[in-house]
Amino acid sequence: MSFNVSDSKHLKRISSISLVVISLMLLFLVYNNYKRQYTIIINTFLILESEIIKEASQMANLWLDKRIKDEGVTIEDIEQEILKNFIEPISLLNSGDAWIYNKDYVIFDKSGDFPDYYRGKSMRQIFEIQSRYGASHYEELTIGVENATEGQGWYIWLPEKGKEWVSWTSFRFHEQTWTLGLSTPEKDILSYADIKSFLVKQIVYALILIILLSIITRQIFSFQNKQEKLISELNQANEDLKNVDVMKNNLIANISHDFKNPLTIIYNLAELNLVNSGGNIPQNILDDLNVIYETSHRFISKINSIIDLVKLDSRGLDLKIQRIRPVEFLSEIASYYSNSLKRANIQVAFRSDADEYDFFYTDPEKLEDIINNIIFNAIKFIQHEHGIINIELLENDESIEIKIQDNGIGIEKEYLEKIFTRFERIEDLGKGRPKGSGIGLAYSRQLAVLLGGSIRAESDGRDKGASFFIVLDRNKFNEGDRSSGNVNSEYVPNRAYVDTYHTEENKPKVSIVRTNRQFEFDPFKGIILIAEDEPAIRNVIVRYLENSGYMNFITVENGEIALEMAKIYHPDLVITDYMMPEMNGDEFCRVMFADPFFEFIPIIFISAVSDRNLILEQKTKGAVDFITKPIRKEELLISVNSNLKKYMDFTQASSIDELSKMLNRRAFFKNFENLILNPSTSDLSVILLDLDYFKEINDTYGHKAGDFVLSQISLNILDAIRNQDIAGRYGGEEFIVLLPETTLEQSGKVAEKIQSRISNLELDYKGILIKRTISMGIASLGQYGDEYGPAEEKINLPNQLVEMADTALYYAKTKSCIHCGYIEKEIRTELEICPECGRPLMEGRNRIEEYTPAMKA
């Protein structure tokens, strides 16, 4: 754009308008920034309030559950204890109020503006009275208390006090509910965050800028008489601007070269050590050298592409025109990729009806770059199990056309042109994790134009595959266009390194060395699930943790597989990359937190993206930490150490059944899974136990008598088994015992010991002697293997074994005939003779039965 004298006539008017517009924009930005800071401060404080009140609610609920079982304790007593222990200690800022309401009446409000005559009334009654003094906007909070929900919001208690931001949560016990809340005046929050100072500074900065702009505008006006000279300078500046793009490209090229020098050293030294190792390098170091070699090769290739792209922009890319045979040229490329991609199960085929002796002039190195970029793109977006890439050559007198077709994810119609735009990546335009740098296809199109041709893409849409067409003008170059250095030389292809995304390395790997047993909550024996699509990074994380003493790892390449592994192995901690193929870390985290079984498992994010808002967002959603790449060992270990220990402490606190002092059902199955996963486990047995006629105790003597009997029976079961055995309360009057390294025959002896102990037990409950028998069903891992074969999938193994033991227990508790196999389907106590064969029936209950496949039938 150039300027002339007539342009200066409007300069003063344009400058004045610009000054006004810019001033308004600055003031708007100040206001908008203030509102944004205000929102962040309030939301952050609400999150803090919510976390505090949730912790208090959980502790209050646990306290209520514990104390309600004590004799002589009333709900009112417990409410006062909760008030004293968990509500009164809470205080935020100067005027923060913590409170607790029963659904029907107020329990406590420690603020000075809460009169005694409000006590005993419901929240709605209190606010209706207080509304006479200016209370308002309390409907949402009132409904929350009445309906025992949780939420956040604001209300006004006294106009002079202003808005109060509140977070509340509720818990229920039988038919009663309580709501705990934490309220903080907005003015205290904003005062604490010093937002007024922030606003004043922003206004001052804006005014300074406006003043400076005013001074500049006046200067422009004062120079209006020198317009011709100014216009001349502007025109000269306009000429200078034309060179800015070239300067930018030169800068990028210089930076790329600066990267290449140290990378080349790394690459070449790794190559030299690999070639000259002579078997003297330990295997683990050799593996590391291979990773360094391949990674640096990929990095150098990317930098080369950037340099060539810069040269294209500045028209500084030299062509080396040579004569090639298209059929032979493409056949060699197809053969190379076909061999390289075998391990990835990707088929590459070439087809042509053209004359193999027909010649064509082009720059073969640049043409191969175009083809490589398209094939690399195809490799990223096809399924490795059944991937297909077809290369086809079509020729006529005017042009040659190369078609590269794949059976990958396809491209939606609206994106067929966008993919050739720089830094637009296919997955950015659709779903999932973006792959690549986003310059490959843009670079290829520019190269094609330079070679006198074009590139286009075709696809029928998602999951329909894609086809790329390279069309080149036969007459663009001739023999006279060849570079002097290549007149008599044959083209020697410089094949690119084919990254097949480490197909073998990307298979899920499970390394379980030693797991936690009953009443053992060692963080170093916890199971850690690592989801990261780069194998080398997964390996680095595992080695960092192994060197620090951690033992058990499951590594996968994406969130989809991570979910499958989580369902099988129930990890104690998850480390996941944010950006992964198939299912990214964000979606994986969302699904995990939506499942009640996984919602408490700590999740640590790792990512090359260090955006503060992203980190805050993921922590708000539930992630316990966010570590940026490159991974720092100390930061990783601190995060894993602290979060695994917290999780183990939580698991320990929530694992014991209060009545039986055994593991609860969930904790028992977690120990069961750990034992199955432990490589040292060769055999184990399960005993499922059920007290006979337990209902009679509750009906005759009451439920407290029943609880007494259960507690005493459980203590005797624990005394009868070994320290390494695992016992749990299965439900009601049922117990379950897991016997590691115990055969079916050996477990029968343990069952007989327990039966004898229980049968001879006389329990004195308030002068009443109570005796009971117990029935048991036994199953073993050896039986599972005999009946079902080796168990490759371990997800259902504990459930299957318990189901087998339950089937045996059913037989133990019912009358049956040992002669013909008859079993009583409906309990008839008067029946003594087998209705099938007429022989005596074996009595049900107080029996031990071992599972047999015939029982299943």
Side-chain angles (χ1 to χ4, degrees):
M1 181 178 65
S2 62
F3 296 86
N4 53 46
V5 175
S6 61
D7 293 328
S8 64
K9 294 179 180 179
H10 306 289
L11 184 59
K12 185 174 183 179
R13 184 170 56 184
I14 292 172
S15 299
S16 300
I17 295 172
S18 298
L19 178 62
V20 173
V21 171
I22 292 172
S23 299
L24 291 174
M25 287 177 63
L26 283 171
L27 293 174
F28 174 78
L29 286 173
V30 168
Y31 172 76
N32 193 52
N33 205 16
Y34 170 80
K35 292 297 291 182
R36 181 170 173 269
Q37 292 296 320
Y38 169 90
T39 302
I40 291 173
I41 290 168
I42 294 299
N43 287 342
T44 303
F45 204 87
L46 284 174
I47 292 170
L48 175 62
E49 284 187 339
S50 179
E51 290 300 317
I52 292 173
I53 212 65
K54 282 180 181 178
E55 289 291 333
S57 175
Q58 290 176 6
M59 297 304 296
N61 197 1
L62 290 173
W63 183 268
L64 177 62
D65 184 63
K66 176 180 181 301
R67 291 286 287 138
I68 200 67
K69 299 173 184 175
D70 296 338
E71 293 187 8
V73 179
T74 66
I75 288 294
E76 289 75 18
D77 294 335
I78 297 172
E79 287 176 342
Q80 290 304 310
E81 291 173 358
I82 291 174
L83 165 65
K84 182 176 180 180
N85 294 328
F86 306 114
I87 305 304
E88 286 184 347
I90 300 174
S91 178
L92 281 180
L93 304 184
N94 296 327
S95 305
D97 290 333
W99 44 265
I100 176 170
Y101 287 112
N102 187 288
K103 179 181 179 182
D104 301 315
Y105 56 89
V106 61
I107 297 170
F108 169 76
D109 188 323
K110 68 177 184 180
S111 67
D113 54 1
F114 194 83
D116 287 341
Y117 62 83
Y118 280 156
R119 300 182 184 275
K121 294 182 174 59
S122 70
M123 175 175 279
R124 185 172 293 279
Q125 291 172 330
I126 293 171
F127 267 112
E128 286 174 354
I129 296 171
Q130 188 65 21
S131 64
R132 303 169 191 170
Y133 306 103
S136 63
H137 203 272
Y138 51 79
E139 189 64 22
E140 182 181 2
L141 175 59
T142 303
I143 293 173
V145 172
E146 291 174 344
N147 293 297
T149 65
E150 67 175 54
Q152 299 173 333
W154 62 270
Y155 65 89
I156 293 177
W157 178 256
L158 289 171
E160 59 267 29
K161 199 171 182 180
K163 281 185 181 179
E164 293 188 60
W165 289 93
V166 58
S167 295
W168 70 88
T169 188
S170 303
F171 65 92
R172 183 185 301 273
F173 187 84
H174 296 305
E175 298 301 318
Q176 296 199 55
T177 60
W178 291 266
T179 302
L180 280 69
L182 186 57
S183 308
T184 310
E186 181 178 287
K187 62 183 180 181
D188 284 1
I189 298 172
L190 298 181
S191 175
Y192 179 78
D194 200 18
I195 195 170
K196 287 185 178 179
S197 174
F198 169 82
L199 179 61
V200 169
K201 289 179 181 178
Q202 293 290 306
I203 293 173
V204 170
Y205 294 153
L207 290 175
I208 291 172
L209 285 173
I210 291 171
I211 292 170
L212 288 174
L213 288 171
S214 300
I215 294 172
I216 293 171
T217 304
R218 291 188 63 184
Q219 290 296 318
I220 292 174
F221 294 162
S222 68
F223 284 104
Q224 194 171 11
N225 292 330
K226 303 176 183 179
Q227 281 184 349
E228 290 185 5
K229 181 180 178 182
L230 179 60
I231 290 172
S232 176
E233 292 174 354
L234 286 173
N235 285 332
Q236 182 60 47
N238 188 50
E239 286 296 317
D240 293 339
L241 284 174
K242 292 180 181 178
N243 298 319
V244 168
D245 197 46
V246 175
M247 294 170 63
K248 174 205 69 176
N249 291 334
N250 288 337
L251 176 61
I252 294 174
N254 288 334
I255 292 173
S256 298
H257 279 295
D258 287 342
F259 275 127
K260 282 184 70 176
N261 286 334
L263 268 174
T264 300
I265 294 171
I266 295 170
Y267 172 77
N268 291 137
L269 285 176
E271 182 182 42
L272 283 170
N273 279 279
L274 285 170
V275 172
N276 299 321
S277 63
N280 297 322
I281 299 178
Q283 186 60 45
N284 61 326
I285 298 177
L286 199 62
D287 292 340
D288 289 346
L289 282 172
N290 272 306
V291 172
I292 294 169
Y293 174 74
E294 293 180 2
T295 304
S296 58
H297 192 295
R298 287 159 54 193
F299 200 173
I300 291 171
S301 297
K302 292 293 182 185
I303 291 176
N304 285 336
S305 296
I306 293 173
I307 293 172
D308 284 347
L309 193 61
V310 169
K311 289 179 178 178
L312 273 173
D313 287 347
S314 59
R315 298 176 178 83
L317 187 64
D318 293 327
L319 295 179
K320 298 178 181 179
I321 306 304
Q322 295 175 259
R323 188 172 68 170
I324 63 169
R325 296 184 179 93
V327 174
E328 183 180 311
F329 177 79
L330 294 174
S331 179
E332 289 180 0
I333 292 176
S335 176
Y336 168 73
Y337 280 109
S338 179
N339 292 327
S340 299
L341 296 174
K342 279 181 180 178
R343 67 190 181 105
N345 294 321
I346 298 175
Q347 300 177 13
V348 181
F350 170 68
R351 187 177 70 83
S352 173
D353 296 329
D355 183 357
E356 62 177 323
Y357 298 107
D358 196 12
F359 288 101
F360 171 66
Y361 286 97
T362 189
D363 184 327
E365 184 177 345
K366 299 300 181 288
L367 178 57
E368 187 165 352
D369 281 348
I370 296 172
I371 296 170
N372 286 340
N373 274 313
I374 294 174
I375 292 179
F376 284 173
N377 206 65
I379 294 170
K380 296 173 189 176
F381 298 105
I382 61 179
Q383 295 295 327
H384 287 175
E385 290 78 8
H386 50 82
I388 298 173
I389 300 174
N390 290 321
I391 304 173
E392 186 176 356
L393 174 64
L394 305 172
E395 287 193 88
N396 57 51
D397 293 338
E398 300 299 324
S399 65
I400 68 168
E401 184 172 319
I402 303 169
K403 178 182 178 182
I404 302 174
Q405 183 180 30
D406 66 67
N407 65 339
I409 65 170
I411 308 168
E412 294 175 5
K413 185 176 180 180
E414 60 267 33
Y415 301 141
L416 288 173
E417 274 301 310
K418 288 184 179 180
I419 59 175
F420 293 103
T421 303
R422 291 185 191 182
F423 308 113
E424 289 279 13
R425 296 171 290 183
I426 288 180
E427 287 296 330
D428 282 337
L429 306 170
K431 300 176 181 178
R433 170 197 184 262
K435 295 179 178 178
S437 60
I439 63 171
L441 292 177
Y443 169 59
S444 296
R445 173 167 278 189
Q446 283 190 259
L447 274 183
V449 172
L450 190 64
L451 296 178
S454 62
I455 297 180
R456 73 181 190 278
E458 295 180 3
S459 177
D460 292 331
R462 281 277 168 181
D463 301 318
K464 300 292 185 181
S467 298
F468 286 81
F469 297 86
I470 308 166
V471 181
L472 299 174
D473 183 358
R474 271 189 170 280
N475 303 314
K476 171 68 175 177
F477 305 106
N478 54 50
E479 191 170 1
D481 291 315
R482 291 183 299 176
S483 300
S484 58
N486 293 281
V487 173
N488 297 314
S489 64
E490 290 292 332
Y491 172 59
V492 179
N494 181 20
R495 302 295 184 208
Y497 167 72
V498 181
D499 183 358
T500 57
Y501 294 90
H502 307 277
T503 308
E504 293 300 322
E505 293 89 332
N506 275 338
K507 290 181 179 178
K509 292 184 180 178
V510 179
S511 175
I512 306 293
V513 177
R514 189 164 53 228
T515 53
N516 283 308
R517 300 296 178 88
Q518 181 173 223
F519 306 124
E520 185 180 17
F521 303 92
D522 185 350
F524 291 97
K525 293 182 183 177
I527 298 175
I528 301 173
L529 173 61
I530 301 168
E532 159 65 54
D533 60 322
E534 179 57 58
I537 297 178
R538 291 201 299 269
N539 184 47
V540 166
I541 295 172
V542 169
R543 286 166 65 178
Y544 278 157
L545 295 175
E546 274 184 331
N547 291 340
S548 297
Y550 293 95
M551 305 177 190
N552 307 308
F553 306 97
I554 302 154
T555 58
V556 299
E557 68 164 324
N558 61 53
E560 201 170 77
I561 303 175
L563 274 180
E564 296 175 8
M565 295 295 103
K567 291 174 182 176
I568 296 173
Y569 297 102
H570 299 145
D572 300 296
L573 181 132
V574 175
I575 301 172
T576 177
D577 190 10
Y578 180 75
M579 298 176 69
M580 295 184 292
E582 310 304 335
M583 177 188 283
N584 62 29
D586 186 46
E587 177 66 11
F588 166 70
C589 189
R590 186 190 66 77
V591 176
M592 286 285 285
F593 287 142
D595 190 329
F597 198 83
F598 300 127
E599 62 179 332
F600 298 111
I601 295 177
I603 296 180
I604 300 172
F605 268 110
I606 56 174
S607 177
V609 180
S610 58
D611 180 79
R612 184 178 179 276
N613 291 331
L614 175 63
I615 295 172
L616 182 61
E617 177 188 356
Q618 295 309 317
K619 287 188 175 181
T620 302
K621 289 179 179 179
V624 297
D625 207 350
F626 198 109
I627 298 173
T628 57
K629 297 177 182 177
I631 298 169
R632 285 175 281 275
K633 175 184 174 183
E634 293 76 12
E635 184 180 3
L636 174 69
L637 294 179
I638 289 171
S639 183
V640 171
N641 288 342
S642 61
N643 287 298
L644 252 181
K645 186 178 185 306
K646 289 178 185 175
Y647 182 68
M648 289 298 176
D649 290 344
F650 166 78
T651 304
Q652 183 173 9
S654 59
S655 294
I656 308 302
D657 177 67
E658 188 66 27
L659 179 64
S660 65
K661 306 305 178 185
M662 293 178 173
L663 294 175
N664 58 33
R665 183 166 178 163
R666 177 171 177 168
F668 174 84
F669 272 95
K670 176 64 176 174
N671 276 266
F672 200 159
E673 290 161 1
N674 284 345
L675 197 61
I676 290 290
L677 296 175
N678 202 315
S680 63
T681 300
S682 60
D683 201 356
L684 56 82
S685 294
V686 179
I687 304 177
L688 194 59
L689 310 91
D690 186 82
L691 281 180
D692 297 329
Y693 304 108
F694 178 74
K695 185 174 183 296
E696 292 180 358
I697 299 175
N698 286 331
D699 293 344
T700 305
Y701 307 114
H703 287 281
K704 287 190 176 180
D707 288 347
F708 170 75
V709 171
L710 287 176
S711 65
Q712 295 303 307
I713 294 293
S714 64
L715 290 175
N716 277 270
I717 293 173
L718 288 171
D719 287 342
I721 61 178
R722 302 167 300 182
N723 290 334
Q724 66 265 36
D725 298 332
I726 299 171
R729 187 177 179 190
Y730 193 69
E733 68 272 19
E734 288 185 309
F735 303 93
I736 190 166
V737 176
L738 189 61
L739 306 171
E741 302 305 323
T742 305
T743 64
L744 186 65
E745 181 182 357
Q746 292 168 334
S747 62
K749 295 178 181 179
V750 177
E752 290 172 359
K753 179 180 178 183
I754 296 173
Q755 185 187 50
S756 174
R757 193 178 186 113
I758 301 302
S759 299
N760 295 320
L761 192 63
E762 288 188 351
L763 300 175
D764 185 347
Y765 178 72
K766 296 182 178 179
I768 302 169
L769 293 179
I770 300 175
K771 294 191 67 175
R772 270 299 170 269
T773 59
I774 194 165
S775 299
M776 287 174 267
I778 309 174
S780 77
L781 184 62
Q783 287 180 304
Y784 186 97
D786 292 342
E787 184 175 351
Y788 298 96
E792 295 180 1
E793 295 293 337
K794 298 181 179 180
I795 184 171
N796 289 319
L797 188 51
N799 290 328
Q800 291 283 356
L801 286 171
V802 173
E803 184 179 333
M804 290 160 62
D806 190 43
T807 301
L809 176 62
Y810 175 74
Y811 271 77
K813 293 185 72 68
T814 54
K815 291 182 178 180
S816 58
C817 180
I818 61 174
H819 303 285
C820 68
Y822 166 79
I823 182 168
E824 183 183 56
K825 300 297 183 183
E826 297 180 3
I827 297 176
R828 291 175 288 176
T829 57
E830 76 282 356
L831 192 64
E832 296 180 357
I833 302 298
C834 175
E836 299 291 336
C837 67
R839 298 183 183 184
L841 289 174
M842 179 185 293
E843 284 295 325
R845 295 180 171 79
N846 196 27
R847 275 170 45 198
I848 301 168
E849 287 287 345
E850 297 176 353
Y851 174 79
T852 64
M855 292 178 178
K856 187 178 180 182

